[in-house]
């Protein structure tokens, strides 16, 4: 390709509104030894050989379908498995017609956003919230309104206020995006009282709710409140889920649970060829026999990791005014740094110690968050979690300004 | 889910502009015996056991990466394999940085469309053209301008006229979408002369070209002209390709070949988690050893199928004024029905005989096409192709009006 730099930039003038936002922002991290940044599952937990066996079974029993175009709504066997999962783990009654398979949870979220959000539409989300969803919503033109999160989850009193303001100014909020279980990154689980309030608000203001539930199966203690989806009598809630945390992100399988009439509208934004006919079957064949024991095993693995990190934070930072979440499940701890922490200095010291983390501001739709960092305890083994957390605590203390 | 029909429709008022187009239109077909409708590859050609072996190798050698999140641009091993494919089959020089992996060719096309097309933007395409791309373009808001196709492919003289008209009316055409090899559905391959004219027009009017090349490897005779991508000195061409036709659609692997500076803009529209880390590796491990012999085998298989259908059309319709394409590759024949064919009657007779096909109008962005049907010879075995084509010819003759 003979091409000059100038020539290569000719496309710039032609980019769409969404593309003019630029390439996707990625949290930068240098080479780290202790990877507490991204929410990566533990590769030690992946069922490698069992998936090879599942692949062999799929090829023998259903190979032609696995390698051909699939249905726009995904492989029915997997849709049925998702239905069964909700029945087993939550007693939630859904049917195949509620389930749309997607290429992972992020794409599931993007399908819902694509179906509802036009340029400039107000969308309510938590502040902080999952950084990839901020980008997905923005790329679709959403005007994001971040709502404070406290120990009971998103503050529904503030949601009511914002919806009232929007109504008075003649603007239609399209979507309330919430991570109700082990809120990512802040940690709390939205209380049942607030879930009911949220459904009531959606009903009153005619707004869709998008309930992002990527970690719900991985609860280490306590009892889950009913899902927002299960509380909605009006077909105004879509819920997303994924195999990324309970099997492996590399299979790229997620789904939307939605009112059946909405499913074909969502799938229209998944352009062509059906969704993952091969990996859908491989995962389904494996999970049919192993779902509950595998999830039970993962709960033990990740609970021990969470406890290791909480323990070391307690040892390392108890004598400071730092505070942090104690999530009942999921992969993350949200740490409020001690007052008078020099953020630049912390970043240098942590990098020097080889400790990676995600800085708070990337989780904030409307700015702020500098005094927070998110720590993922999911990827490293417990010994490395302890060692890395000790080093991080030392870096945090070393970054305190004397002023 | 207690939900009334009325309640289930509450979401309707909230849908985005793209969603208000409604669910994806699918070509309807009843149960058919002879499946000449969709462009489905021959399941007899899928390397089932070899893919199980590839899966085992992937799990052993690279399992942790295969089951984890992937890079936003796709698995580098597959990007390199695509580079090598172009070098081997076309002598085309690209690099890994030109390649963005996608979930199939349709998604690859959608990424390019998403990066360039805003509501109301003019987009030039062929008339007829691939129906799924019409829908993808429309869903993104494109104002489609269909250009006539003759034996040499898209008429570049008409493209020049339309671009001139748009310029005079102050409108910026964003994209020229073309299927340059074995145009789907009409059949011709765009001549080198016209390819050069198209590149010149893109340069003059500052328009991107999207070269959709889903079938290029499956050439049964003749010599391919240089790809449009290879003729472009300005970074104004994106080309899409796929493993759907040379391995199997169920793996959902396609790609964009693009100017390196554009790749991050395109990947931003692929929401999250990287692209198919598992299937990318399984396909790569298989194709590294088998690409050329497997493609050679497919060329023989599909050439024989094409010839069987052409032969039966000749036998069955030579005494009518019907005409049809004789494509040098790909999966399809575009048949102009005899004059005075009663389309309704043909549809009934073909359905009664169990013969499926795609009606012409679904390939037309601006209407028309009633006198055409598209026949796919890819899926059925040669004996069934002969039998089904004989039955179709009989149906066509039976649908002639006496007037």
């Amino acid at each position: 390709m003979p091409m000059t730099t100038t020539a290569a930039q000719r496309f710039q003038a032609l980019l769409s509104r969404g593309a003019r936002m630029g390439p996707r922002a990625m949290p930068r991290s240098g080479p780290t030894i202790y990877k507490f940044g991204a929410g990566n599952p533990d590769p030690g937990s992946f069922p490698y050989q069992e998936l090879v066996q599942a692949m062999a079974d799929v090829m023998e029993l259903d190979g032609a379908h696995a390698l051909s175009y699939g249905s726009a709504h995904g492989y029915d066997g997997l849709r049925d498995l998702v239905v069964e999962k909700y029945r087993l783990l939550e007693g939630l009654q859904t049917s195949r017609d509620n389930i749309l398979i997607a290429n992972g949870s992020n794409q599931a979220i993007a399908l819902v956003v694509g179906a509802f959000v036009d340029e400039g539409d107000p969308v309510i989300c938590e502040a902080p919230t999952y950084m990839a969803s901020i980008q997905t919503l923005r790329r679709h033109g959403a005007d994001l309104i971040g709502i404070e999160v406290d120990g009971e989850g998103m503050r529904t009193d503030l949601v009511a206020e914002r919806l009232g303001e929007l109504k008075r100014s003649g603007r239609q909020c399209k979507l309330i995006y919430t991570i109700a279980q082990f809120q990512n990154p802040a940690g709390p689980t939205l209380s049942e009282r607030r879930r009911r309030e949220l459904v009531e608000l959606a009903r009153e203001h005619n707004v869709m709710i998008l309930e992002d539930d990527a970690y719900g199966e991985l609860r280490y203690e306590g009892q889950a409140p009913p899902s927002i989806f299960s509380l909605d009598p009006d077909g105004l809630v879509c819920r997303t889920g994924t195999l990324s945390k309970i099997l492996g992100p590399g299979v790229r399988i997620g789904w939307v649970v939605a009112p059946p009439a909405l499913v074909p509208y969502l799938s229209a934004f998944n352009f062509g060829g059906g969704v993952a006919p091969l990996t859908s079957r491989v995962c389904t064949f494996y999970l049919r026999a192993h779902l509950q024991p595998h999830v039970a095993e993962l709960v033990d693995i990740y609970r021990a990791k969470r406890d290791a990190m909480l323990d070391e934070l307690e040892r390392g930072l108890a004598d400071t005014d730092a505070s942090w979440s104690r999530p009942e499940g999921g992969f993350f701890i949200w740490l409020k740094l001690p007052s008078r922490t020099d953020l630049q200095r912390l970043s240098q010291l942590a990098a020097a110690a080889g400790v990676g983390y995600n800085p708070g501001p990337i989780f904030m739709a409307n700015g702020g968050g500098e005094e927070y960092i998110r720590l993922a305890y999911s990827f490293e083994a417990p010994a490395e979690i302890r060692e890395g957390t000790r080093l991080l605590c030392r870096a945090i203390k070393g970054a305190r300004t004397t002023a």
Side-chain angles (χ1 to χ4, degrees), chain A residues 362-396:
Chain A
I362 67 173
F363 301 97
M364 303 298 281
N366 309 121
E370 289 79 4
E371 68 276 34
Y372 289 90
I373 63 174
R374 191 192 73 175
L375 300 172
Y377 48 76
S378 50
F379 183 75
E380 300 289 352
E384 281 67 43
I385 291 174
R386 289 194 175 271
E387 180 61 19
T389 307
R390 279 196 288 269
L391 291 168
L392 177 67
C393 290
R394 199 176 304 162
I396 288 173

Side-chain angles (χ1 to χ4, degrees), chain A residues 348-364:
Chain A
Q348 289 162 352
L349 289 173
V355 180
Y357 59 81
N358 278 353
I362 67 173
F363 301 97
M364 303 298 281

